[in-house]
Amino acid sequence: MPNPPLILGLESSCDDTAAAVLRGREVLSSVVMGQAELHRAFGGVVPEIAARAHAEKLDLCVADAVRQAGIALKDIDAIAVTSGPGLIGGVLSGVMLAKGLAAGLNRPLIGVNHLAGHALTPRLTDDLPFPYLMLLVSGGHCQFLIVRGPQEFTRLGGTIDDAPGEAFDKTARLLGLPQPGGPSVQAAAESGDETRFRFPRPLLDRPGCDLSFSGLKTALLRQRDGLIADHGGLHDRDIADLSAGFQAAVRDVLLEKTQRALAIYLAEASAQPGFAIAGGVAANAPLRAGLETLCADRGVTFSAPPLALCTDNAAMIAFAGGLLLAQGVQHDMTLSARPRWPLDAAAAPLVGSGKKGAKA
Ligand code: KG4
Ligand code: ZN
């Protein structure tokens, strides 16, 4: 096998169908086919619709990725696939296709944990040295991880209910702003007064790095309904102020918990400490600015992969697959799809976390 090998990655665990071809850290192609329009009318990802769309699009996605990489399918040295955690129908579609390709091409098959794909991306983009601290914040995930190696993760905490992206999306829906909610709430908040409405800062009174976001959405609903009852509707100023108040609460909670996670991580005294973010919410400007300042104050390298590699994609799966292959990991035709698969098996389960994609 050439070194580094040519790896085809497949991703289908939530609402993005993706395929990518990588050689080491070189991304030869990365194709992502989103499904947002299929789910729009339902206000969330519908698992059955997602599974069917993955089954319909995966082979087209692979064909595109292979063509864009300028290679032939037979040139692929190994196939890496997200085998969990996620929506079972989608994960199954990916695993079945990967098995077919591996059997047909007679190449190694590597099942990859989707969260490991996100967590290892700073190695792909910035060659960030192990161990680094990672904050995964998206529509389906929210957790702090110390990333020690391709298969070694320590989870310091995570959400016990909604993921922050979900909370942004629900907030947008309640305020009549377009989806995805993150960018539209951020835009509305720019002209808002974050102090006009009081939002809770959930779980700050408890020690540790766990988070909670479902109470924020309830607080927003109450404030909104109060305004509608008093004035018969929402003015643009109300929407801006509610957006700003909500966004500030999410920012404050994430910054405080990041300080705690950094303190735990830095106590291990890494010679070159690093902090990385991943997930769509990492695009939030006030949050990002706050995190950068925290890191700069502590002499910690800040890494934020470009958005296309921060959100769900298959390049991260191919890259993680390559790291596992180098460690001798290979799977056979008994590889199964795992709806739940925590990265840190020793950490207590996070009940109900990341409902959107049923992530671990
Ligand atoms: O990583 P991602 O693409 O995948 C899923 O988890 O599906 O994250 C999407 C999430 C959405 O909930 C979206 O509202 C949120 O990321 N998001 C943002 C921003 N841009 C995207 N949240 C806050 N501020 C933003 N600027
Ligand atoms: Zn993801």
Side-chain angles (χ1 to χ4, degrees):
M1 190 176 294
N3 191 17
L6 200 56
I7 310 230
L8 170 69
L10 303 180
E11 158 61 34
S12 54
S13 66
C14 189
D15 58 352
D16 290 303
T17 312
V21 177
L22 265 72
R23 189 186 289 287
R25 294 176 56 213
E26 190 188 354
V27 180
L28 300 181
S29 66
S30 180
V31 178
V32 179
M33 297 183 175
Q35 306 177 351
E37 70 290 353
L38 296 178
H39 302 286
R40 185 157 291 137
F42 304 96
V45 177
V46 183
E48 289 76 11
I49 294 176
R52 196 173 320 139
H54 287 305
E56 283 169 2
K57 283 193 195 148
L58 262 167
D59 55 347
L60 302 175
C61 219
V62 169
D64 269 7
V66 165
R67 192 173 48 244
Q68 287 181 25
I71 57 153
L73 201 52
K74 65 173 175 37
D75 299 332
I76 299 286
D77 295 309
I79 292 125
V81 60
T82 300
S83 53
L87 298 172
I88 189 73
V91 180
L92 261 176
S93 299
V95 168
M96 298 305 286
L97 179 61
K99 283 183 183 175
L101 287 169
L105 296 167
N106 193 24
R107 298 289 191 274
L109 170 70
I110 308 131
V112 174
N113 184 308
H114 175 88
L115 300 168
H118 280 302
L120 294 167
T121 300
R123 301 275 313 149
L124 166 63
T125 55
D126 295 343
D127 215 3
L128 199 65
F130 293 125
Y132 52 86
L133 179 67
M134 154 140 288
L135 170 60
L136 210 55
V137 265
S138 71
H141 333 282
C142 183
Q143 49 187 284
F144 291 104
L145 294 163
I146 297 179
V147 185
R148 303 179 188 283
Q151 301 183 75
E152 254 187 289
F153 307 92
T154 305
R155 198 184 68 217
L156 301 181
T159 181
I160 58 167
D161 42 53
D162 293 354
E166 260 179 307
F168 269 100
D169 294 343
K170 286 176 185 165
T171 292
R173 224 166 283 133
L174 289 172
L175 297 180
L177 297 170
Q179 295 293 320
S184 48
V185 170
Q186 182 182 317
E190 266 165 32
S191 58
D193 170 6
E194 66 177 57
T195 61
R196 176 169 159 209
F197 298 103
R198 177 76 205 131
F199 281 90
R201 304 298 193 254
L203 296 194
L204 286 195
D205 52 339
R206 268 204 239 162
C209 301
D210 282 347
L211 305 115
S212 162
F213 295 97
S214 65
L216 282 180
K217 153 195 93 199
T218 315
L220 184 103
L221 179 66
R222 222 173 285 130
Q223 310 265 27
R224 183 200 71 161
D225 289 351
L227 287 166
I228 292 173
D230 290 348
H231 310 294
L234 291 180
H235 298 294
D236 286 350
R237 170 116 318 273
D238 299 327
I239 293 174
D241 293 345
L242 285 169
S243 295
F246 165 82
Q247 179 175 257
V250 174
R251 177 202 63 204
D252 288 355
V253 167
L254 282 168
L255 289 181
E256 168 60 29
K257 297 284 172 161
T258 300
Q259 291 196 47
R260 295 183 194 180
L262 271 172
I264 297 168
Y265 163 69
L266 289 172
E268 293 186 4
S270 168
Q272 294 168 274
F275 173 80
I277 44 172
V281 182
N284 187 261
L287 172 65
R288 210 172 163 126
L291 291 170
E292 276 188 80
T293 305
L294 279 187
C295 288
D297 289 350
R298 289 163 180 75
V300 173
T301 302
F302 178 79
S303 156
L307 203 57
L309 292 173
C310 248
T311 55
D312 286 353
N313 68 88
M316 68 180 190
I317 302 303
F319 179 71
L323 296 183
L324 292 176
L325 187 66
Q327 292 192 328
V329 175
Q330 284 190 33
H331 296 106
D332 59 21
M333 291 297 141
T334 62
L335 176 69
S336 57
R338 299 175 64 175
R340 292 208 161 255
W341 182 4
L343 273 182
D344 179 354
L350 288 167
V351 181
S353 65
K355 285 173 226 156
K356 179 182 172 193
K359 304 293 191 187

